[in-house]
């Protein structure tokens, strides 16, 4: 999952820094910099999970996981069959021939494990890239909503304990994200 916790920590750090910095300004600077605080709250995780793009990503991920798993299981069955066949022929083979074939089988097993690891890494990269696309698009959408509603602060609902329902822009963010990014390719 995108580093939402990191984003939350950054938002909190900025808010704390702003709170610490503003009181240190001269009173004339505080007066001229007095900006009304208009707050928006977004349930980022809900929007990402509920969005058309988020759901299409989950569907693609499930399909790809299943395909990778099926491919690896099929190859594993093939390698097990080769191993069983080799063990059954052990008595009829010369020790050097058996050793040669056993080493060849071990190389196939090693290649199978490496292939599985490469597929796993490729899957994770594709998934993370698609999630990043959704998240970046959501950030733009939230920025546009903030400008339209003249919000000066937008927080992730996960860091808010209590808020006014009127501040919640989650549904607007979801609707706008669905318009802007109806799907994402993994």
């Amino acid at each position: 999952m995108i580093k939402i916790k990191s984003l939350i920590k950054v938002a909190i750090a900025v808010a704390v820094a702003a709170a610490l910095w503003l009181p240190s300004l001269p009173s004339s600077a505080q007066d001229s910099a007095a900006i009304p605080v208009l707050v928006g709250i977004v349930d980022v995780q809900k929007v990402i999970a509920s969005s058309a793009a988020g759901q299409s990503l989950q569907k693609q991920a499930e399909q790809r996981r299943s395909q990778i798993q099926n491919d690896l299981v099929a190859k594993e069955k093939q390698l097990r069959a080769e191993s069983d066949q080799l063990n059954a022929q052990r008595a009829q083979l010369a020790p050097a021939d058996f050793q040669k074939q056993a080493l060849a089988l071990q190389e196939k097993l090693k290649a199978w494990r490496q292939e599985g690891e490469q597929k796993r890494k490729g899957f994770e990269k594709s998934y993370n890239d698609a999630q990043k696309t959704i998240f970046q698009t959501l950030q733009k959408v939230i920025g546009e909503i903030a400008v339209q509603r003249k919000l000066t602060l937008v927080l992730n609902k996960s860091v808010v304990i209590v808020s006014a329902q009127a501040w919640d822009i989650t549904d607007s963010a979801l609707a706008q994200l669905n318009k802007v990014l109806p799907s994402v390719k993994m």
Side-chain angles (χ1 to χ4, degrees):
M1 174 120 192
I2 300 294
K3 307 219 181 209
I4 293 175
K5 289 183 181 180
S6 297
L7 181 63
I8 293 167
K9 288 178 185 176
V10 169
I12 291 171
V14 169
V16 169
L20 294 174
W21 180 68
L22 282 176
S24 67
L25 291 175
S27 63
S28 62
Q30 287 180 7
D31 294 338
S32 65
I35 299 172
V37 177
L38 298 172
V39 178
I41 307 293
V42 179
D43 189 339
V44 172
Q45 292 160 326
K46 177 183 176 185
V47 172
I48 290 174
S50 302
S51 70
Q55 290 179 354
S56 80
L57 175 59
Q58 290 306 318
K59 187 176 181 180
Q60 291 173 59
E62 288 172 19
Q63 289 173 345
R64 188 170 294 174
R65 267 189 213 106
S66 178
Q67 182 63 46
I68 290 170
Q69 183 68 21
N70 290 341
D71 290 349
L72 291 173
V73 166
K75 184 70 173 179
E76 180 185 22
K77 284 180 182 179
Q78 176 189 352
L79 292 172
R80 284 185 192 267
E82 286 181 36
S83 176
D84 291 345
Q85 182 181 13
L86 180 60
N87 285 330
Q89 295 175 351
R90 185 176 193 160
Q92 293 127 4
L93 293 174
D97 289 339
F98 176 79
Q99 187 67 22
K100 184 178 175 183
Q101 289 181 17
L103 287 174
L105 184 58
Q106 285 178 351
E107 286 299 316
K108 287 181 182 181
L109 283 169
K110 181 180 175 184
W112 172 74
R113 286 186 195 104
Q114 288 173 343
E115 177 186 0
E117 184 63 19
Q118 287 174 345
K119 285 184 177 187
R120 184 190 63 77
K121 286 180 180 179
F123 171 86
E124 286 177 9
K125 182 178 181 342
S126 296
Y127 185 82
N128 289 338
D129 288 348
Q131 265 197 324
K132 183 177 179 181
T133 299
I134 295 171
F135 187 73
Q136 288 173 338
T137 305
L138 178 59
Q139 283 182 307
K140 290 176 187 173
V141 164
I142 292 169
E144 291 169 4
I145 292 171
V147 168
Q148 291 169 355
R149 295 187 182 188
K150 297 180 180 154
L151 302 175
T152 53
L153 178 65
V154 178
L155 298 171
N156 189 341
K157 191 169 188 167
S158 67
V159 298
V160 176
I161 297 171
V162 177
S163 69
Q165 184 59 33
W167 292 354
D168 195 322
I169 62 170
T170 300
D171 293 337
S172 299
L174 176 60
Q176 189 65 22
L177 179 62
N178 284 338
K179 285 181 190 175
V180 175
L181 189 68
S183 68
V184 67
K185 297 285 184 207
M186 193 171 148

